Amino acid sequence: LLIIAFFTGNAFAQDTIVKWTFPSTSADSIVDGGLSINSSRFISCQYGTYGAPSYTGIPSDYTTNGSLGSPDKCAKTTRWNNAVDSMYYMVKFKTTGYSGLKLYSKQQSGGTNPGPRDFKVQYKLSGSTTWIDIPGGTIICANDWTTGVLNGIDLPIACENQTSNVSVRWLITSDLDINGNALLSTGISKLDDIIVTGNVISGIETNNENNLISIYPNPSQGSFSIDNNGGISKINIYNIVGKCIYSNENANTTRLYFNGFTSGIYMVQIISEDNLVNTYKVIVE
């Protein structure tokens, strides 16, 4: 039974792509683990849009105890009043070679200075200015580390296998504190245990060097073709919010032509006859 339990528990284990856990030995903005491609990533707190006149970076404190208590630490900030839909925590990371992404985090608002109650989590891909709500990413905080928790919510498929940065932010959505009163500038927000996990994509191709698959033109003006030079069994196309807008289980023809796509970013998932999965990003301008 122990052997069965061991293998069952590990069958669903995922790799850590990036994490911020703020251990007391390195409690700062810099990432605390994950893939080597994310070794220089950091967390920030911001108000407004970068480059806009109203933009400002919000300083974070890393000396306060975190979700595990002393000596574990967290990111702590104030100045959340009058900042609805404008102030947020943000992290960036790459997901090259990974799918099935999940997001974890813990938030606390309170202590002697009741902090912001309502947040939501959004994502944005490199090259896009549009933030997209992540399903299941609504957060209600309290003066504890158990209420405002994201416990492995799914990141949309558009975030998978990204060689450029995926941005994720925790955005304040109301001007109320955890007691339902007007939020003050002294209200404290804390964030801890940010972890993104995923599964290695078997047989991933990122550069098409084997010339089995060609997608062109990319970027396009709304029409593109997929040339199959060997062994496609299925094609799925997803929009930026992760909705499958096209699926073909008999895609073994030499060329498939697509038109009428509106501007945006699409993920083309190609499954070979031997069940290898390849994911490509297509941009329609």
Side-chain angles (χ1 to χ4, degrees), residues 52-272:
S54 62
Y55 170 82
T56 183
I58 307 298
S60 297
D61 175 79
Y62 302 99
T63 62
T64 300
N65 290 342
S67 66
L68 298 179
S70 181
D72 176 52
K73 304 303 179 183
C74 65
K76 183 181 78 172
T77 52
T78 57
R79 298 166 52 180
W80 291 90
N81 62 310
N82 302 318
V84 175
D85 295 330
S86 295
M87 187 165 162
Y88 50 89
Y89 296 102
M90 185 176 70
V91 298
K92 296 181 180 182
F93 51 90
K94 298 177 181 179
T95 62
T96 311
Y98 281 84
S99 64
L101 308 174
K102 293 186 179 296
L103 173 66
Y104 301 79
S105 70
K106 297 177 182 177
Q107 283 180 264
Q108 182 193 58
S109 292
T112 56
N113 296 292
R117 183 187 69 183
D118 302 307
F119 287 83
K120 67 179 177 181
V121 183
Q122 299 177 310
Y123 80 94
K124 179 173 70 69
L125 298 183
S126 178
S128 173
T129 59
T130 302
W131 287 95
I132 309 290
D133 292 352
I134 298 175
T138 299
I139 302 169
I140 299 176
C141 298
N143 188 22
D144 57 50
W145 287 107
T146 57
T147 304
V149 172
L150 297 179
N151 190 22
I153 64 171
D154 295 326
L155 291 180
I157 192 171
C159 299
E160 297 180 358
N161 191 33
Q162 289 296 312
T163 57
S164 298
N165 284 325
V166 176
S167 299
V168 171
R169 70 178 184 178
W170 289 254
L171 176 70
I172 186 172
T173 57
S174 84
D175 203 23
L176 298 176
D177 68 19
I178 57 174
N179 299 318
N181 300 318
L183 184 61
L184 302 178
S185 63
T186 54
I188 292 173
S189 171
K190 304 174 189 176
L191 181 60
D192 200 0
D193 296 337
I194 304 165
I195 303 173
V196 179
T197 64
N199 301 315
V200 174
I201 300 174
S202 176
I204 190 68
E205 300 169 18
T206 58
N207 54 17
N208 293 342
E209 286 181 349
N210 60 10
N211 295 319
L212 293 180
I213 305 299
S214 298
I215 302 178
Y216 61 91
N218 188 18
S220 77
Q221 299 299 313
S223 301
F224 59 91
S225 297
I226 299 177
D227 281 1
N228 170 24
N229 298 314
I232 295 179
S233 67
K234 185 176 182 179
I235 294 177
N236 297 316
I237 300 179
Y238 297 85
N239 62 18
I240 197 170
V241 297
K243 180 181 179 181
C244 185
I245 59 174
Y246 173 87
S247 183
N248 187 342
E249 295 189 12
N250 298 293
N252 55 1
T253 55
T254 302
R255 176 173 295 175
L256 295 103
Y257 180 72
F258 302 87
N259 61 17
F261 278 71
T262 57
S263 61
I265 298 174
Y266 299 87
M267 302 304 296
V268 179
Q269 183 185 69
I270 295 176
I271 302 173
S272 69

Side-chain angles (χ1 to χ4, degrees), residues 24-60:
S24 59
T25 54
S26 60
D28 52 35
S29 63
I30 304 302
V31 67
D32 294 307
L35 305 178
S36 60
I37 57 174
N38 293 318
S39 60
S40 62
R41 298 293 86 196
F42 59 92
I43 182 173
S44 62
C45 186
Q46 303 178 17
Y47 178 94
T49 302
Y50 183 78
S54 62
Y55 170 82
T56 183
I58 307 298
S60 297

